[in-house]
């Protein structure tokens, strides 16, 4: 599989007031994320965007927890996501739920370093 190179210039979309995505439809924050079998994984909490290309590289998918306590976050490469026009309120992660939930631990309070980005890409089968 081809993929984008890990980027040192990522920014969390919610942390940038003036960054605009090249394609507004790529802003999928707040949408529910489902796996390839139709099982709900969680919600797209945020996007990590390549500032130069104005293109999302990763999704922060949050799942579980009650009132924010115990919630887990997973970083998913943007290449793993598809969206059907008929399903405006959801995105599909092209993996099963267990694969996403087994991905490397992610703390959304920290910016993902290039090595962590590589680990996430490798986990999803990108060379």
């Amino acid at each position: 599989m081809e993929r984008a190179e890990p980027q040192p210039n990522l920014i969390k979309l919610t942390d940038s007031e003036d960054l605009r995505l090249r394609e507004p439809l790529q802003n999928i924050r707040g949408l529910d994320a489902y796996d390839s079998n139709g099982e709900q994984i969680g919600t797209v909490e945020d996007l990590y965007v390549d500032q130069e290309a104005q293109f999302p590289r990763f999704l922060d998918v949050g799942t579980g927890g009650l009132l924010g306590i115990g919630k887990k976050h997973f970083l998913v490469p943007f290449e793993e996501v598809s969206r059907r026009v008929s399903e405006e309120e959801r995105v599909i992660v092209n993996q099963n739920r267990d694969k996403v939930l087994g991905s490397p631990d992610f703390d959304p309070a920290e910016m993902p370093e290039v090595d962590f980005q590589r680990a996430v890409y490798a986990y999803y089968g990108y060379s």
Side-chain angles (χ1 to χ4, degrees):
M1 283 190 212
E2 288 191 34
R3 65 160 170 85
E5 282 296 310
Q7 297 296 316
N9 64 341
L10 288 183
I11 188 168
K12 193 186 282 192
L13 190 55
T14 56
D15 290 348
S16 173
E17 295 178 16
D18 57 344
L19 179 67
R20 300 286 176 253
L21 295 174
R22 196 170 287 189
E23 297 290 331
L25 287 176
Q26 292 172 336
N27 188 354
I28 55 177
R29 292 177 296 175
L31 296 183
D32 290 330
Y34 286 79
D35 75 0
S36 54
N37 298 317
E39 282 189 74
Q40 186 171 4
I41 299 169
T43 302
V44 179
E45 302 284 333
D46 215 333
L47 298 173
Y48 288 86
V49 178
D50 176 335
Q51 295 179 69
E52 286 181 28
Q54 297 176 314
F55 183 82
R57 297 295 180 198
F58 296 98
L59 289 75
D60 168 5
V61 177
T63 187
L66 183 61
L67 301 173
I69 299 170
K71 182 177 250 187
K72 292 191 172 206
H73 292 261
F74 304 96
L75 210 57
V76 177
F78 196 76
E79 294 90 345
E80 286 295 319
V81 176
S82 61
R83 188 171 175 195
R84 296 181 185 110
V85 175
S86 62
E87 297 175 337
E88 295 176 7
E89 301 300 318
R90 67 170 61 184
V91 294
I92 306 299
V93 176
N94 300 318
Q95 297 287 337
N96 68 44
R97 185 175 191 273
D98 291 338
K99 177 78 173 182
V100 176
L101 298 180
S103 66
D105 290 341
F106 172 64
D107 180 358
E110 297 179 16
M111 187 59 60
E113 297 290 329
V114 173
D115 286 343
F116 184 77
Q117 294 174 46
R118 281 191 185 106
V120 170
Y121 276 127
Y123 178 79
Y124 283 96
Y126 296 92
S127 56

mmCIF file of all heavy atoms in Angstrom, residues 3-52:
data_model
loop_
_atom_site.group_PDB
_atom_site.id
_atom_site.type_symbol
_atom_site.label_atom_id
_atom_site.label_comp_id
_atom_site.label_asym_id
_atom_site.label_seq_id
_atom_site.Cartn_x
_atom_site.Cartn_y
_atom_site.Cartn_z
ATOM 1 N N ARG A 3 1.421 5.270 0.881
ATOM 2 C CA ARG A 3 0.991 6.154 1.958
ATOM 3 C C ARG A 3 1.762 7.452 1.875
ATOM 4 O O ARG A 3 2.749 7.563 1.178
ATOM 5 C CB ARG A 3 1.231 5.515 3.312
ATOM 6 C CG ARG A 3 2.714 5.329 3.571
ATOM 7 C CD ARG A 3 2.999 5.157 5.030
ATOM 8 N NE ARG A 3 4.370 4.758 5.239
ATOM 9 C CZ ARG A 3 5.394 5.592 5.315
ATOM 10 N NH1 ARG A 3 5.228 6.861 5.194
ATOM 11 N NH2 ARG A 3 6.609 5.147 5.522
ATOM 12 N N ALA A 4 1.270 8.415 2.616
ATOM 13 C CA ALA A 4 2.008 9.667 2.729
ATOM 14 C C ALA A 4 3.147 9.453 3.713
ATOM 15 O O ALA A 4 3.055 8.621 4.605
ATOM 16 C CB ALA A 4 1.081 10.756 3.231
ATOM 17 N N GLU A 5 4.217 10.187 3.532
ATOM 18 C CA GLU A 5 5.329 10.128 4.482
ATOM 19 C C GLU A 5 4.906 10.739 5.811
ATOM 20 O O GLU A 5 4.124 11.677 5.831
ATOM 21 C CB GLU A 5 6.518 10.917 3.932
ATOM 22 C CG GLU A 5 7.289 10.184 2.873
ATOM 23 C CD GLU A 5 7.948 8.922 3.404
ATOM 24 O OE1 GLU A 5 8.635 8.966 4.432
ATOM 25 O OE2 GLU A 5 7.754 7.873 2.768
ATOM 26 N N PRO A 6 5.405 10.225 6.924
ATOM 27 C CA PRO A 6 5.145 10.872 8.211
ATOM 28 C C PRO A 6 5.572 12.340 8.142
ATOM 29 O O PRO A 6 6.560 12.666 7.496
ATOM 30 C CB PRO A 6 6.012 10.089 9.194
ATOM 31 C CG PRO A 6 6.156 8.742 8.563
ATOM 32 C CD PRO A 6 6.205 9.018 7.075
ATOM 33 N N GLN A 7 4.807 13.189 8.780
ATOM 34 C CA GLN A 7 5.023 14.621 8.668
ATOM 35 C C GLN A 7 5.425 15.258 9.988
ATOM 36 O O GLN A 7 4.719 15.107 10.983
ATOM 37 C CB GLN A 7 3.740 15.303 8.174
ATOM 38 C CG GLN A 7 3.308 14.869 6.794
ATOM 39 C CD GLN A 7 4.298 15.258 5.738
ATOM 40 O OE1 GLN A 7 4.817 16.359 5.721
ATOM 41 N NE2 GLN A 7 4.587 14.328 4.839
ATOM 42 N N PRO A 8 6.525 16.004 9.996
ATOM 43 C CA PRO A 8 6.892 16.727 11.208
ATOM 44 C C PRO A 8 6.062 17.993 11.381
ATOM 45 O O PRO A 8 6.035 18.582 12.448
ATOM 46 C CB PRO A 8 8.369 17.063 10.984
ATOM 47 C CG PRO A 8 8.530 17.096 9.514
ATOM 48 C CD PRO A 8 7.533 16.095 8.961
ATOM 49 N N ASN A 9 5.355 18.420 10.335
ATOM 50 C CA ASN A 9 4.625 19.672 10.399
ATOM 51 C C ASN A 9 3.116 19.478 10.555
ATOM 52 O O ASN A 9 2.323 20.217 9.998
ATOM 53 C CB ASN A 9 4.930 20.526 9.163
ATOM 54 C CG ASN A 9 4.447 19.879 7.873
ATOM 55 O OD1 ASN A 9 4.203 18.684 7.817
ATOM 56 N ND2 ASN A 9 4.307 20.671 6.841
ATOM 57 N N LEU A 10 2.725 18.479 11.343
ATOM 58 C CA LEU A 10 1.306 18.255 11.593
ATOM 59 C C LEU A 10 0.788 19.280 12.591
ATOM 60 O O LEU A 10 1.514 19.742 13.466
ATOM 61 C CB LEU A 10 1.068 16.863 12.179
ATOM 62 C CG LEU A 10 1.232 15.665 11.269
ATOM 63 C CD1 LEU A 10 0.874 14.393 12.034
ATOM 64 C CD2 LEU A 10 0.399 15.782 10.016
ATOM 65 N N ILE A 11 -0.486 19.581 12.456
ATOM 66 C CA ILE A 11 -1.161 20.431 13.419
ATOM 67 C C ILE A 11 -2.549 19.849 13.651
ATOM 68 O O ILE A 11 -3.162 19.295 12.737
ATOM 69 C CB ILE A 11 -1.231 21.896 12.933
ATOM 70 C CG1 ILE A 11 -1.758 22.797 14.042
ATOM 71 C CG2 ILE A 11 -2.060 22.024 11.677
ATOM 72 C CD1 ILE A 11 -1.589 24.273 13.760
ATOM 73 N N LYS A 12 -3.000 19.938 14.879
ATOM 74 C CA LYS A 12 -4.353 19.500 15.202
ATOM 75 C C LYS A 12 -5.305 20.563 14.649
ATOM 76 O O LYS A 12 -5.125 21.753 14.908
ATOM 77 C CB LYS A 12 -4.496 19.366 16.717
ATOM 78 C CG LYS A 12 -5.739 18.629 17.137
ATOM 79 C CD LYS A 12 -5.922 18.632 18.630
ATOM 80 C CE LYS A 12 -5.035 17.628 19.328
ATOM 81 N NZ LYS A 12 -5.436 17.441 20.735
ATOM 82 N N LEU A 13 -6.293 20.150 13.886
ATOM 83 C CA LEU A 13 -7.171 21.102 13.218
ATOM 84 C C LEU A 13 -7.850 22.039 14.219
ATOM 85 O O LEU A 13 -7.965 23.236 13.954
ATOM 86 C CB LEU A 13 -8.204 20.375 12.360
ATOM 87 C CG LEU A 13 -9.028 21.243 11.413
ATOM 88 C CD1 LEU A 13 -8.152 22.071 10.483
ATOM 89 C CD2 LEU A 13 -9.996 20.398 10.611
ATOM 90 N N THR A 14 -8.259 21.526 15.376
ATOM 91 C CA THR A 14 -8.926 22.396 16.349
ATOM 92 C C THR A 14 -7.968 23.407 16.969
ATOM 93 O O THR A 14 -8.417 24.394 17.547
ATOM 94 C CB THR A 14 -9.595 21.597 17.483
ATOM 95 O OG1 THR A 14 -8.618 20.775 18.107
ATOM 96 C CG2 THR A 14 -10.733 20.762 16.979
ATOM 97 N N ASP A 15 -6.655 23.186 16.867
ATOM 98 C CA ASP A 15 -5.672 24.123 17.414
ATOM 99 C C ASP A 15 -5.328 25.251 16.443
ATOM 100 O O ASP A 15 -4.535 26.116 16.772
ATOM 101 C CB ASP A 15 -4.375 23.392 17.792
ATOM 102 C CG ASP A 15 -4.554 22.504 19.002
ATOM 103 O OD1 ASP A 15 -5.596 22.610 19.679
ATOM 104 O OD2 ASP A 15 -3.649 21.694 19.262
ATOM 105 N N SER A 16 -5.885 25.216 15.256
ATOM 106 C CA SER A 16 -5.562 26.222 14.251
ATOM 107 C C SER A 16 -6.822 26.965 13.841
ATOM 108 O O SER A 16 -7.763 26.367 13.330
ATOM 109 C CB SER A 16 -4.945 25.557 13.025
ATOM 110 O OG SER A 16 -4.784 26.511 12.001
ATOM 111 N N GLU A 17 -6.807 28.255 14.070
ATOM 112 C CA GLU A 17 -7.962 29.068 13.688
ATOM 113 C C GLU A 17 -7.960 29.411 12.202
ATOM 114 O O GLU A 17 -9.014 29.627 11.613
ATOM 115 C CB GLU A 17 -7.988 30.358 14.504
ATOM 116 C CG GLU A 17 -8.210 30.118 15.976
ATOM 117 C CD GLU A 17 -8.196 31.397 16.776
ATOM 118 O OE1 GLU A 17 -8.319 32.490 16.191
ATOM 119 O OE2 GLU A 17 -8.052 31.298 18.008
ATOM 120 N N ASP A 18 -6.775 29.485 11.591
ATOM 121 C CA ASP A 18 -6.706 29.940 10.211
ATOM 122 C C ASP A 18 -6.393 28.852 9.184
ATOM 123 O O ASP A 18 -6.427 29.116 7.989
ATOM 124 C CB ASP A 18 -5.700 31.081 10.071
ATOM 125 C CG ASP A 18 -4.315 30.687 10.545
ATOM 126 O OD1 ASP A 18 -4.182 29.681 11.247
ATOM 127 O OD2 ASP A 18 -3.357 31.414 10.206
ATOM 128 N N LEU A 19 -6.116 27.642 9.633
ATOM 129 C CA LEU A 19 -5.823 26.563 8.686
ATOM 130 C C LEU A 19 -7.122 26.084 8.042
ATOM 131 O O LEU A 19 -8.093 25.785 8.732
ATOM 132 C CB LEU A 19 -5.131 25.388 9.387
ATOM 133 C CG LEU A 19 -4.793 24.201 8.492
ATOM 134 C CD1 LEU A 19 -3.727 24.588 7.470
ATOM 135 C CD2 LEU A 19 -4.317 23.030 9.316
ATOM 136 N N ARG A 20 -7.115 26.030 6.746
ATOM 137 C CA ARG A 20 -8.267 25.543 5.997
ATOM 138 C C ARG A 20 -7.848 24.305 5.218
ATOM 139 O O ARG A 20 -6.764 24.273 4.633
ATOM 140 C CB ARG A 20 -8.775 26.595 5.015
ATOM 141 C CG ARG A 20 -9.202 27.883 5.660
ATOM 142 C CD ARG A 20 -10.543 27.712 6.382
ATOM 143 N NE ARG A 20 -10.901 28.917 7.082
ATOM 144 C CZ ARG A 20 -10.857 29.062 8.409
ATOM 145 N NH1 ARG A 20 -10.457 28.080 9.168
ATOM 146 N NH2 ARG A 20 -11.219 30.183 8.975
ATOM 147 N N LEU A 21 -8.716 23.310 5.213
ATOM 148 C CA LEU A 21 -8.451 22.113 4.418
ATOM 149 C C LEU A 21 -8.667 22.445 2.947
ATOM 150 O O LEU A 21 -9.528 23.253 2.596
ATOM 151 C CB LEU A 21 -9.385 20.979 4.839
ATOM 152 C CG LEU A 21 -9.193 20.462 6.253
ATOM 153 C CD1 LEU A 21 -10.273 19.453 6.590
ATOM 154 C CD2 LEU A 21 -7.819 19.842 6.418
ATOM 155 N N ARG A 22 -7.886 21.780 2.112
ATOM 156 C CA ARG A 22 -8.018 21.989 0.669
ATOM 157 C C ARG A 22 -9.427 21.614 0.207
ATOM 158 O O ARG A 22 -10.001 22.271 -0.639
ATOM 159 C CB ARG A 22 -6.971 21.152 -0.053
ATOM 160 C CG ARG A 22 -6.759 21.569 -1.480
ATOM 161 C CD ARG A 22 -5.570 20.890 -2.051
ATOM 162 N NE ARG A 22 -4.366 21.510 -1.463
ATOM 163 C CZ ARG A 22 -3.145 21.265 -1.867
ATOM 164 N NH1 ARG A 22 -2.942 20.411 -2.830
ATOM 165 N NH2 ARG A 22 -2.120 21.848 -1.322
ATOM 166 N N GLU A 23 -9.966 20.543 0.788
ATOM 167 C CA GLU A 23 -11.325 20.080 0.467
ATOM 168 C C GLU A 23 -12.167 20.158 1.735
ATOM 169 O O GLU A 23 -11.965 19.364 2.663
ATOM 170 C CB GLU A 23 -11.294 18.628 -0.032
ATOM 171 C CG GLU A 23 -10.531 18.411 -1.308
ATOM 172 C CD GLU A 23 -11.230 19.017 -2.503
ATOM 173 O OE1 GLU A 23 -12.478 19.110 -2.497
ATOM 174 O OE2 GLU A 23 -10.530 19.425 -3.449
ATOM 175 N N PRO A 24 -13.119 21.080 1.825
ATOM 176 C CA PRO A 24 -13.935 21.213 3.044
ATOM 177 C C PRO A 24 -14.642 19.923 3.471
ATOM 178 O O PRO A 24 -14.863 19.712 4.657
ATOM 179 C CB PRO A 24 -14.948 22.303 2.677
ATOM 180 C CG PRO A 24 -14.270 23.098 1.603
ATOM 181 C CD PRO A 24 -13.437 22.105 0.838
ATOM 182 N N LEU A 25 -14.972 19.054 2.528
ATOM 183 C CA LEU A 25 -15.642 17.792 2.878
ATOM 184 C C LEU A 25 -14.743 16.852 3.670
ATOM 185 O O LEU A 25 -15.209 15.867 4.239
ATOM 186 C CB LEU A 25 -16.151 17.080 1.629
ATOM 187 C CG LEU A 25 -17.372 17.711 0.955
ATOM 188 C CD1 LEU A 25 -17.713 16.975 -0.324
ATOM 189 C CD2 LEU A 25 -18.570 17.741 1.891
ATOM 190 N N GLN A 26 -13.422 17.137 3.708
ATOM 191 C CA GLN A 26 -12.499 16.316 4.491
ATOM 192 C C GLN A 26 -12.620 16.599 5.983
ATOM 193 O O GLN A 26 -12.108 15.838 6.794
ATOM 194 C CB GLN A 26 -11.057 16.558 4.037
ATOM 195 C CG GLN A 26 -10.783 16.056 2.646
ATOM 196 C CD GLN A 26 -9.414 16.475 2.147
ATOM 197 O OE1 GLN A 26 -8.842 17.462 2.594
ATOM 198 N NE2 GLN A 26 -8.886 15.711 1.201
ATOM 199 N N ASN A 27 -13.294 17.660 6.352
ATOM 200 C CA ASN A 27 -13.480 17.960 7.766
ATOM 201 C C ASN A 27 -14.586 17.065 8.310
ATOM 202 O O ASN A 27 -15.766 17.395 8.241
ATOM 203 C CB ASN A 27 -13.817 19.431 7.981
ATOM 204 C CG ASN A 27 -13.813 19.792 9.452
ATOM 205 O OD1 ASN A 27 -13.672 18.930 10.321
ATOM 206 N ND2 ASN A 27 -13.973 21.064 9.729
ATOM 207 N N ILE A 28 -14.168 15.926 8.845
ATOM 208 C CA ILE A 28 -15.123 14.913 9.298
ATOM 209 C C ILE A 28 -15.189 14.834 10.821
ATOM 210 O O ILE A 28 -15.684 13.863 11.379
ATOM 211 C CB ILE A 28 -14.784 13.532 8.688
ATOM 212 C CG1 ILE A 28 -13.343 13.138 9.003
ATOM 213 C CG2 ILE A 28 -15.035 13.543 7.192
ATOM 214 C CD1 ILE A 28 -12.949 11.755 8.506
ATOM 215 N N ARG A 29 -14.712 15.893 11.481
ATOM 216 C CA ARG A 29 -14.778 15.928 12.949
ATOM 217 C C ARG A 29 -16.229 15.842 13.399
ATOM 218 O O ARG A 29 -17.118 16.443 12.807
ATOM 219 C CB ARG A 29 -14.150 17.214 13.486
ATOM 220 C CG ARG A 29 -12.660 17.287 13.275
ATOM 221 C CD ARG A 29 -12.099 18.600 13.744
ATOM 222 N NE ARG A 29 -12.665 19.675 12.934
ATOM 223 C CZ ARG A 29 -12.449 20.961 13.143
ATOM 224 N NH1 ARG A 29 -11.692 21.349 14.143
ATOM 225 N NH2 ARG A 29 -12.978 21.870 12.362
ATOM 226 N N GLY A 30 -16.434 15.079 14.461
ATOM 227 C CA GLY A 30 -17.767 14.929 15.019
ATOM 228 C C GLY A 30 -18.589 13.810 14.413
ATOM 229 O O GLY A 30 -19.638 13.457 14.944
ATOM 230 N N LEU A 31 -18.108 13.231 13.315
ATOM 231 C CA LEU A 31 -18.851 12.125 12.697
ATOM 232 C C LEU A 31 -18.543 10.825 13.415
ATOM 233 O O LEU A 31 -17.452 10.623 13.953
ATOM 234 C CB LEU A 31 -18.488 11.992 11.216
ATOM 235 C CG LEU A 31 -18.861 13.155 10.307
ATOM 236 C CD1 LEU A 31 -18.506 12.821 8.860
ATOM 237 C CD2 LEU A 31 -20.325 13.516 10.423
ATOM 238 N N ASP A 32 -19.519 9.929 13.423
ATOM 239 C CA ASP A 32 -19.305 8.602 13.986
ATOM 240 C C ASP A 32 -18.451 7.783 13.026
ATOM 241 O O ASP A 32 -18.612 7.870 11.812
ATOM 242 C CB ASP A 32 -20.636 7.894 14.221
ATOM 243 C CG ASP A 32 -21.434 8.523 15.349
ATOM 244 O OD1 ASP A 32 -20.826 9.069 16.287
ATOM 245 O OD2 ASP A 32 -22.675 8.472 15.294
ATOM 246 N N ALA A 33 -17.541 7.001 13.603
ATOM 247 C CA ALA A 33 -16.663 6.137 12.813
ATOM 248 C C ALA A 33 -17.128 4.695 12.980
ATOM 249 O O ALA A 33 -17.298 4.220 14.102
ATOM 250 C CB ALA A 33 -15.219 6.283 13.271
ATOM 251 N N TYR A 34 -17.334 4.028 11.861
ATOM 252 C CA TYR A 34 -17.749 2.628 11.832
ATOM 253 C C TYR A 34 -16.685 1.815 11.138
ATOM 254 O O TYR A 34 -15.945 2.327 10.300
ATOM 255 C CB TYR A 34 -19.082 2.479 11.071
ATOM 256 C CG TYR A 34 -20.270 2.977 11.855
ATOM 257 C CD1 TYR A 34 -20.544 4.331 11.943
ATOM 258 C CD2 TYR A 34 -21.102 2.088 12.516
ATOM 259 C CE1 TYR A 34 -21.632 4.793 12.673
ATOM 260 C CE2 TYR A 34 -22.183 2.536 13.241
ATOM 261 C CZ TYR A 34 -22.440 3.888 13.315
ATOM 262 O OH TYR A 34 -23.514 4.336 14.038
ATOM 263 N N ASP A 35 -16.635 0.511 11.465
ATOM 264 C CA ASP A 35 -15.669 -0.346 10.789
ATOM 265 C C ASP A 35 -16.247 -0.889 9.491
ATOM 266 O O ASP A 35 -17.395 -0.599 9.138
ATOM 267 C CB ASP A 35 -15.168 -1.452 11.720
ATOM 268 C CG ASP A 35 -16.161 -2.575 11.968
ATOM 269 O OD1 ASP A 35 -17.291 -2.552 11.421
ATOM 270 O OD2 ASP A 35 -15.813 -3.493 12.726
ATOM 271 N N SER A 36 -15.458 -1.677 8.800
ATOM 272 C CA SER A 36 -15.864 -2.213 7.499
ATOM 273 C C SER A 36 -17.026 -3.199 7.602
ATOM 274 O O SER A 36 -17.640 -3.526 6.601
ATOM 275 C CB SER A 36 -14.668 -2.873 6.811
ATOM 276 O OG SER A 36 -14.077 -3.839 7.669
ATOM 277 N N ASN A 37 -17.344 -3.657 8.830
ATOM 278 C CA ASN A 37 -18.474 -4.565 9.041
ATOM 279 C C ASN A 37 -19.709 -3.844 9.560
ATOM 280 O O ASN A 37 -20.706 -4.485 9.885
ATOM 281 C CB ASN A 37 -18.096 -5.660 10.044
ATOM 282 C CG ASN A 37 -16.949 -6.513 9.545
ATOM 283 O OD1 ASN A 37 -16.919 -6.892 8.374
ATOM 284 N ND2 ASN A 37 -15.996 -6.787 10.410
ATOM 285 N N GLY A 38 -19.646 -2.525 9.681
ATOM 286 C CA GLY A 38 -20.797 -1.757 10.147
ATOM 287 C C GLY A 38 -20.886 -1.579 11.651
ATOM 288 O O GLY A 38 -21.880 -1.063 12.150
ATOM 289 N N GLU A 39 -19.849 -2.012 12.400
ATOM 290 C CA GLU A 39 -19.840 -1.824 13.853
ATOM 291 C C GLU A 39 -19.284 -0.451 14.200
ATOM 292 O O GLU A 39 -18.262 -0.038 13.652
ATOM 293 C CB GLU A 39 -18.957 -2.880 14.529
ATOM 294 C CG GLU A 39 -19.596 -4.241 14.660
ATOM 295 C CD GLU A 39 -18.734 -5.136 15.545
ATOM 296 O OE1 GLU A 39 -18.737 -4.912 16.778
ATOM 297 O OE2 GLU A 39 -18.067 -6.022 14.987
ATOM 298 N N GLN A 40 -19.935 0.229 15.127
ATOM 299 C CA GLN A 40 -19.440 1.541 15.518
ATOM 300 C C GLN A 40 -18.160 1.403 16.335
ATOM 301 O O GLN A 40 -18.068 0.578 17.238
ATOM 302 C CB GLN A 40 -20.475 2.314 16.328
ATOM 303 C CG GLN A 40 -20.006 3.719 16.609
ATOM 304 C CD GLN A 40 -21.070 4.610 17.223
ATOM 305 O OE1 GLN A 40 -22.168 4.171 17.523
ATOM 306 N NE2 GLN A 40 -20.722 5.870 17.409
ATOM 307 N N ILE A 41 -17.174 2.230 15.992
ATOM 308 C CA ILE A 41 -15.898 2.254 16.709
ATOM 309 C C ILE A 41 -15.896 3.395 17.710
ATOM 310 O O ILE A 41 -15.511 3.234 18.853
ATOM 311 C CB ILE A 41 -14.723 2.440 15.725
ATOM 312 C CG1 ILE A 41 -14.676 1.292 14.725
ATOM 313 C CG2 ILE A 41 -13.409 2.560 16.485
ATOM 314 C CD1 ILE A 41 -13.724 1.527 13.571
ATOM 315 N N GLY A 42 -16.314 4.562 17.278
ATOM 316 C CA GLY A 42 -16.300 5.741 18.127
ATOM 317 C C GLY A 42 -16.644 6.967 17.312
ATOM 318 O O GLY A 42 -17.368 6.884 16.330
ATOM 319 N N THR A 43 -16.069 8.104 17.709
ATOM 320 C CA THR A 43 -16.343 9.383 17.060
ATOM 321 C C THR A 43 -15.025 10.027 16.635
ATOM 322 O O THR A 43 -14.036 9.952 17.366
ATOM 323 C CB THR A 43 -17.072 10.325 18.034
ATOM 324 O OG1 THR A 43 -18.276 9.689 18.462
ATOM 325 C CG2 THR A 43 -17.430 11.647 17.372
ATOM 326 N N VAL A 44 -15.034 10.670 15.479
ATOM 327 C CA VAL A 44 -13.854 11.399 15.024
ATOM 328 C C VAL A 44 -13.763 12.677 15.858
ATOM 329 O O VAL A 44 -14.555 13.590 15.706
ATOM 330 C CB VAL A 44 -13.926 11.732 13.517
ATOM 331 C CG1 VAL A 44 -12.691 12.517 13.083
ATOM 332 C CG2 VAL A 44 -14.078 10.463 12.692
ATOM 333 N N GLU A 45 -12.796 12.677 16.775
ATOM 334 C CA GLU A 45 -12.634 13.798 17.697
ATOM 335 C C GLU A 45 -11.889 14.958 17.052
ATOM 336 O O GLU A 45 -12.168 16.122 17.333
ATOM 337 C CB GLU A 45 -11.877 13.350 18.952
ATOM 338 C CG GLU A 45 -12.535 12.211 19.700
ATOM 339 C CD GLU A 45 -13.738 12.638 20.511
ATOM 340 O OE1 GLU A 45 -13.796 13.805 20.923
ATOM 341 O OE2 GLU A 45 -14.621 11.790 20.718
ATOM 342 N N ASP A 46 -10.893 14.629 16.223
ATOM 343 C CA ASP A 46 -10.079 15.680 15.617
ATOM 344 C C ASP A 46 -9.342 15.119 14.416
ATOM 345 O O ASP A 46 -9.350 13.911 14.175
ATOM 346 C CB ASP A 46 -9.070 16.227 16.629
ATOM 347 C CG ASP A 46 -8.826 17.725 16.450
ATOM 348 O OD1 ASP A 46 -8.989 18.237 15.315
ATOM 349 O OD2 ASP A 46 -8.480 18.377 17.443
ATOM 350 N N LEU A 47 -8.700 16.015 13.681
ATOM 351 C CA LEU A 47 -7.868 15.647 12.542
ATOM 352 C C LEU A 47 -6.483 16.233 12.740
ATOM 353 O O LEU A 47 -6.338 17.353 13.235
ATOM 354 C CB LEU A 47 -8.450 16.214 11.235
ATOM 355 C CG LEU A 47 -9.832 15.731 10.828
ATOM 356 C CD1 LEU A 47 -10.315 16.521 9.619
ATOM 357 C CD2 LEU A 47 -9.812 14.253 10.517
ATOM 358 N N TYR A 48 -5.476 15.472 12.341
ATOM 359 C CA TYR A 48 -4.103 15.963 12.312
ATOM 360 C C TYR A 48 -3.779 16.237 10.862
ATOM 361 O O TYR A 48 -3.838 15.345 10.016
ATOM 362 C CB TYR A 48 -3.148 14.943 12.936
ATOM 363 C CG TYR A 48 -3.323 14.899 14.429
ATOM 364 C CD1 TYR A 48 -4.284 14.091 15.013
ATOM 365 C CD2 TYR A 48 -2.556 15.719 15.255
ATOM 366 C CE1 TYR A 48 -4.471 14.081 16.383
ATOM 367 C CE2 TYR A 48 -2.737 15.714 16.627
ATOM 368 C CZ TYR A 48 -3.699 14.893 17.186
ATOM 369 O OH TYR A 48 -3.884 14.892 18.541
ATOM 370 N N VAL A 49 -3.459 17.492 10.576
ATOM 371 C CA VAL A 49 -3.369 17.979 9.211
ATOM 372 C C VAL A 49 -1.936 18.382 8.876
ATOM 373 O O VAL A 49 -1.257 19.018 9.687
ATOM 374 C CB VAL A 49 -4.306 19.206 9.040
ATOM 375 C CG1 VAL A 49 -4.225 19.782 7.638
ATOM 376 C CG2 VAL A 49 -5.747 18.821 9.374
ATOM 377 N N ASP A 50 -1.501 18.020 7.676
ATOM 378 C CA ASP A 50 -0.229 18.484 7.124
ATOM 379 C C ASP A 50 -0.446 19.949 6.758
ATOM 380 O O ASP A 50 -1.248 20.266 5.875
ATOM 381 C CB ASP A 50 0.120 17.643 5.898
ATOM 382 C CG ASP A 50 1.374 18.088 5.188
ATOM 383 O OD1 ASP A 50 1.753 19.276 5.296
ATOM 384 O OD2 ASP A 50 1.979 17.249 4.508
ATOM 385 N N GLN A 51 0.256 20.849 7.449
ATOM 386 C CA GLN A 51 0.035 22.281 7.256
ATOM 387 C C GLN A 51 0.332 22.749 5.835
ATOM 388 O O GLN A 51 -0.389 23.588 5.297
ATOM 389 C CB GLN A 51 0.901 23.088 8.229
ATOM 390 C CG GLN A 51 0.507 22.865 9.669
ATOM 391 C CD GLN A 51 1.395 23.664 10.601
ATOM 392 O OE1 GLN A 51 1.312 24.875 10.624
ATOM 393 N NE2 GLN A 51 2.241 22.971 11.352
ATOM 394 N N GLU A 52 1.398 22.219 5.230
ATOM 395 C CA GLU A 52 1.764 22.655 3.881
ATOM 396 C C GLU A 52 0.753 22.187 2.839
ATOM 397 O O GLU A 52 0.321 22.953 1.998
ATOM 398 C CB GLU A 52 3.147 22.142 3.515
ATOM 399 C CG GLU A 52 4.264 22.862 4.211
ATOM 400 C CD GLU A 52 5.627 22.320 3.800
ATOM 401 O OE1 GLU A 52 5.759 21.818 2.663
ATOM 402 O OE2 GLU A 52 6.546 22.411 4.624
#
